[in-house]
Every structure is written in structure tokens, then in C-alpha cells.
Amino acid sequence: MKKEDIQQISVIGAGQMGHQIAMLCALGGYETVIQDVQESALEKAEASLRKLMDKWVSKSKLTEEQKEAAFGRLTFTPSLEQAAAHADFIIEAVVEKLDVKRELFAKLDQMAKPHAIFASNSSTIVNSLIASATNRADKVVNMHFFFPPLVMDCVEVVMSEDTSKETADLTMDVCNTINRTAVLLNKEISGFIANRILGALQREAVYLYEEGYASFQDIDTICRKALNHPIGPFELMDLSGIDVGYYVMQQRYAESGDPADKPFACIEQKVRQGDLGRKTGKGWYTYQKEEVKK
């Protein structure tokens, strides 16, 4: 398959990552299908994208014509079969749980065209653990976007031992077409590059907090003021979702068995309480919804 052969991209999962990835694909000129089993998630995704793209138009990042053309290429559906049937490239953006991803990829393998490439947006799970649920391991790859995808200009493309060079090259081509800087990892490692570095920082920050050396607010302040980070590690956890980081730690611990990879008690407590960060209104910090100005 050549890059010109990729005409339709389907994104599975309309959550905070999936709907923005789909918009990038539509803006890049691809016929794009966004699928989610929950109709409410699809409705929320479309409303969110309309609001974001209207803001881009108001800031002259996009013309009204370009916006409408992109939405004209974007289809929303609750049907997995419809999303898979005509796709040349499928991007999975569901919950960060291995069993869920394996079940999904097994279904997609039966529904999709033989040539279709399967890309996982997992932030830590290596694709070989998912690819073994399919009969096309050579066509499975990691394509890790960063949050929020419409803002962050980086994608980690990760090959397993089974991922073909053609698959990796085509994935890099897709990144280029949707105007994202792609970095190719030639070997698998749990957490890839960015999250391994970020995870080391977050583990140390939570350790210092749990041991009582400083408050989480002061640790964030030090990272912002002394290290010149745009936001602190606790603020970042709230932004990306505390549950996302928790599932990443669980998966890493399941793979390594190293107690150092086990989720911290304070993280586990917040997940149990449902205090997941900005998306729930409370995490490390408390957030208030912005009032709509009339």
C-alpha cells in the first residue's frame, strides 16, 4: 500500500483524545469516521469540535470554508462495523486497559479490509501485546498523540519486532499529512520516550509529597518557577486525567512486577473517589466550569 491509497481513516473512541485526533485527520484531507458506542459521547465530541473550530476561525487559524470542508469529511457513528468496513487506517483511542484494546483489535481484525493498518494511541502499552489478538501483526503500530492533539505537535510512532517498515513509513506519512511531527522508535519499550521521562518526574514529585517534604501546590510552583515547566506535575495529572496515569502505572507494574512501578496510594485513592482532575471538576485542585458569556 502507498500513502495515496489511504483515503479513509477511522478513529475508535470519541473521548478527549479520539475526537481531536479525528479532527486532525479531517483537517488533513482524509475522509474520517469517528466511532463510539455511546451516542452521548459522539454528540459531546461534535459540540466540542464545533466550539474549538469556531475559535480557530475567530483567531484566523482557519477559514470558515476550511472548517466546513473538514466537517464535511467527518462522520460520526456508533457502529464499529461501519467505522471499520471501508477504513484504510484505523486509530484506536479507547481506555488504557490491555484487555479492552485486545478485544477491540480482535473485532476490528474480522471487520476491516486485509490491507488496513491498525494504530494504537496507547500512551504506554506496546503494540505487540495488542497485535497478537489479530492476524496482521505486521500492520499494527503505536501512534501516540499527546494531549491535546489539536495543540501538541508530536506523535511517537513505535515499531514492534513484527511491525513492517511499510506500516511504519505509512504511519509517518499520515502524521506528516495531518501536520504533526512524528518521531520513530525502532524498538518497543513500555511508556515509550516522553512518558518514561515524565513518569520519572511525576513519581519523584508524588514521593516528595507523600513523604511530607512539601505540599503538592509548592512542588508545582518549584517546577514552574525554578525549572521553567509550563505547568507542574500535579497540574499536569489533573489536565490529562488522574485515572489515565493510574492505568498506565497499573499496566507498567503488571509488566515489570517492580514495586517502584506500582501506583501510589494517594493516586489510587483519588481514582476510587472519582476525583480525576479537570474533567470531573476536582483532582489535586478544584475547578469551576466557566460561565458562558452572553
Side-chain angles (χ1 to χ4, degrees):
M1 185 165 62
K2 298 178 181 179
K3 62 181 181 180
E4 294 82 11
D5 296 325
I6 300 176
Q7 298 294 318
Q8 179 181 307
I9 294 180
S10 289
V11 179
I12 312 302
Q16 62 179 359
M17 294 295 291
H19 73 285
Q20 291 203 14
I21 293 170
M23 194 72 233
L24 280 174
C25 295
L27 288 168
Y30 292 109
E31 292 297 322
T32 306
V33 177
I34 180 167
Q35 184 273 342
D36 200 291
V37 292
Q38 297 183 354
E39 290 275 9
S40 59
L42 294 171
E43 291 170 3
K44 183 178 178 181
E46 184 170 10
S48 176
L49 289 175
R50 287 283 179 187
K51 183 177 179 180
L52 278 170
M53 293 303 101
D54 285 343
K55 188 177 292 186
W56 278 26
V57 171
S58 69
K59 292 183 177 180
S60 300
K61 290 183 177 181
L62 202 67
T63 67
E64 184 69 26
E65 291 74 18
Q66 288 172 323
K67 182 195 80 172
E68 290 305 322
F71 276 105
R73 290 188 287 268
L74 195 57
T75 301
F76 298 82
T77 180
S79 169
L80 185 64
E81 188 170 6
Q82 181 182 341
H86 303 291
D88 303 301
F89 198 101
I90 299 176
I91 303 172
E92 166 269 311
V94 301
V95 66
E96 195 73 348
K97 293 184 177 181
L98 179 58
D99 57 340
V100 174
K101 293 180 187 292
R102 284 181 58 84
E103 182 180 354
L104 172 62
F105 272 57
K107 289 179 180 177
L108 290 171
D109 194 42
Q110 299 299 313
M111 299 174 178
K113 298 176 182 178
H115 72 262
I117 289 172
F118 293 176
S120 173
N121 180 52
S122 173
S123 59
T124 188
I125 301 172
V126 294
N127 73 76
S128 60
L129 294 177
I130 310 171
S132 58
T134 75
N135 293 305
R136 60 179 85 200
D138 62 314
K139 293 181 174 63
V140 179
V141 67
N142 283 100
M143 189 183 190
H144 176 219
F145 291 80
F146 293 86
F147 181 78
L150 282 165
V151 176
M152 300 296 287
D153 178 26
C154 189
V155 179
E156 290 176 318
V157 176
V158 190
M159 298 179 67
S160 72
E161 290 185 358
D162 293 322
T163 306
S164 70
K165 184 177 183 301
E166 179 186 272
T167 295
D169 288 345
L170 286 168
T171 305
M172 297 289 281
D173 286 335
V174 168
C175 291
N176 183 61
T177 302
I178 64 176
N179 197 30
R180 284 296 172 268
T181 300
V183 180
L184 181 63
L185 278 65
N186 297 307
K187 294 196 300 182
E188 290 185 323
I189 184 168
S190 178
F192 318 139
I193 302 299
N195 277 342
R196 290 186 71 87
I197 295 170
L198 180 61
L201 173 67
Q202 288 185 340
R203 280 194 300 274
E204 187 64 20
V206 175
Y207 167 79
L208 292 168
Y209 163 73
E210 282 199 336
E211 292 298 313
Y213 290 102
S215 68
F216 67 84
Q217 297 97 327
D218 286 344
I219 293 171
D220 276 349
T221 298
I222 290 169
C223 288
R224 283 189 277 104
K225 300 293 186 180
L227 304 181
N228 203 29
H229 292 185
I231 61 175
F234 295 92
E235 293 171 309
L236 183 57
M237 281 186 261
D238 275 2
L239 179 63
S240 59
I242 293 173
D243 56 329
V244 175
Y246 175 71
Y247 293 141
V248 167
M249 291 179 226
Q250 278 192 320
Q251 180 61 36
R252 181 82 62 83
Y253 178 59
E255 291 179 28
S256 70
D258 185 349
D261 291 329
K262 196 172 182 179
F264 283 93
C266 61
I267 300 289
E268 187 167 2
Q269 182 180 12
K270 288 193 178 297
V271 172
R272 286 179 176 175
Q273 292 173 341
D275 297 334
L276 309 180
R278 287 180 178 270
K279 62 187 176 183
T280 60
K282 185 179 179 182
W284 291 103
Y285 298 86
T286 300
Y287 305 89
Q288 292 183 339
K289 290 184 178 181
E290 294 182 7
E291 292 184 7
V292 178
K293 295 181 180 179
K294 295 182 180 180

